[in-house]
Amino acid sequence: EVQLVESGGGLVKPGGSLRLSCAASGFTFSSYSMNWVRQAPGKGLEWVSSISSSSSYIYYADSVKGRFTISRDNAKNSLYLQMNSLRAEDTAVYYCARKNGGNPFDYWGQGTLVTVSS
Amino acid sequence: DIQMTQSPSSLSASVGDRVTITCRASQGISNYLAWYQQKPGKVPKLLIYAASTLQSGVPSRFSGSGSGTDFTLTISSLQPEDVATYYCQKYNSAPFTFGPGTKVDIK
């Protein structure tokens, strides 16, 4: 069974940093590109970042470019999102999601809540 | 970047009604269009990919169509368990932009 479990969310002050993790199991993690998607309270889905299976290709939404860094450790079946210079508007539930080759996001984690507030 | 729009933003329909949601891309995306369902308090779930291919396990009352810039999601007979927000997404290349969502509830 495919499982994605996020962790690392919490309350952080504006300007602070946080590192999210996503532990994957039930599939060959190193064969899939992975993504972070966020959802602010009461709002829609926003794609944040994508990383290819071997980390060769990395993409970011303009809203986080220069502040967030996506990475992965295929030996540990883990995906990460380093978030720096956090702003109130980064407050959201952050989901990790698997992209199935040329197909869209077929599995999602339960999400981890990040709250940026003083 | 390609922008995704959806209409309507919300709708209310009766059980058994046919419901149609429209998604439009600002540039052509061939058939690289997915639909997701997000029930209140739940994780998004992939319903349809390649504009019209049903994900395994999705009820046949859901269908999708379109290509290029204009796409539709149809629920042939609305059921109470279909109350949710529906999002379209382009996935041919990054950024993998989502539409703003369409909230569906029961009248």
Side-chain angles (χ1 to χ4, degrees):
Chain A
E1 178 194 6
V2 171
Q3 284 200 325
L4 298 170
V5 179
E6 302 93 338
S7 60
L11 175 64
V12 61
K13 289 181 168 53
S17 298
L18 213 54
R19 189 195 197 206
L20 305 184
S21 299
C22 172
S25 61
F27 66 102
T28 305
F29 181 72
S30 59
S31 296
Y32 292 83
S33 63
M34 297 296 296
N35 295 263
W36 289 99
V37 176
R38 69 184 181 183
Q39 186 168 36
K43 303 297 184 182
L45 301 172
E46 180 187 15
W47 171 79
V48 172
S49 183
S50 177
I51 185 168
S52 62
S53 57
S54 60
S55 304
S56 298
Y57 301 97
I58 287 175
Y59 305 96
Y60 297 99
D62 287 345
S63 57
V64 306
K65 203 172 292 182
R67 300 187 299 122
F68 289 12
T69 301
I70 191 172
S71 63
R72 64 190 296 162
D73 185 337
N74 287 343
K76 294 183 178 180
N77 291 339
S78 292
L79 174 71
Y80 306 102
L81 186 67
Q82 177 67 43
M83 304 187 295
N84 298 332
S85 303
L86 283 161
R87 307 166 179 166
E89 53 266 35
D90 296 318
T91 294
V93 173
Y94 285 74
Y95 297 100
C96 66
R98 185 182 88 166
K99 190 176 187 299
N100 188 358
N103 289 329
F105 303 174
D106 59 352
Y107 285 94
W108 297 60
Q110 289 298 310
T112 187
L113 176 63
V114 172
T115 303
V116 184
S117 174
S118 55
Chain B
D1 291 345
I2 296 173
Q3 305 304 313
M4 306 299 292
T5 56
Q6 287 181 235
S7 62
S9 57
S10 65
L11 67 89
S12 187
S14 299
V15 172
D17 281 355
R18 183 180 184 88
V19 168
T20 299
I21 299 168
T22 296
C23 174
R24 177 164 289 174
S26 61
Q27 298 174 40
I29 57 171
S30 184
N31 68 336
Y32 291 97
L33 191 282
W35 290 97
Y36 298 86
Q37 175 193 63
Q38 187 178 32
K39 295 183 178 182
K42 301 296 185 183
V43 176
K45 171 187 171 184
L46 176 63
L47 287 182
I48 288 171
Y49 62 97
S52 61
T53 302
L54 237 58
Q55 178 73 342
S56 176
V58 173
S60 59
R61 63 180 179 274
F62 291 93
S63 64
S65 64
S67 183
T69 60
D70 295 312
F71 304 89
T72 59
L73 171 68
T74 300
I75 308 173
S76 61
S77 177
L78 187 67
Q79 299 302 304
E81 59 267 32
D82 300 334
V83 169
T85 301
Y86 294 83
Y87 298 91
C88 62
Q89 182 202 29
K90 64 169 281 288
Y91 63 91
N92 54 328
S93 60
F96 301 119
T97 309
F98 291 90
T102 296
K103 187 174 182 180
V104 174
D105 62 24
I106 302 293
K107 192 183 296 182

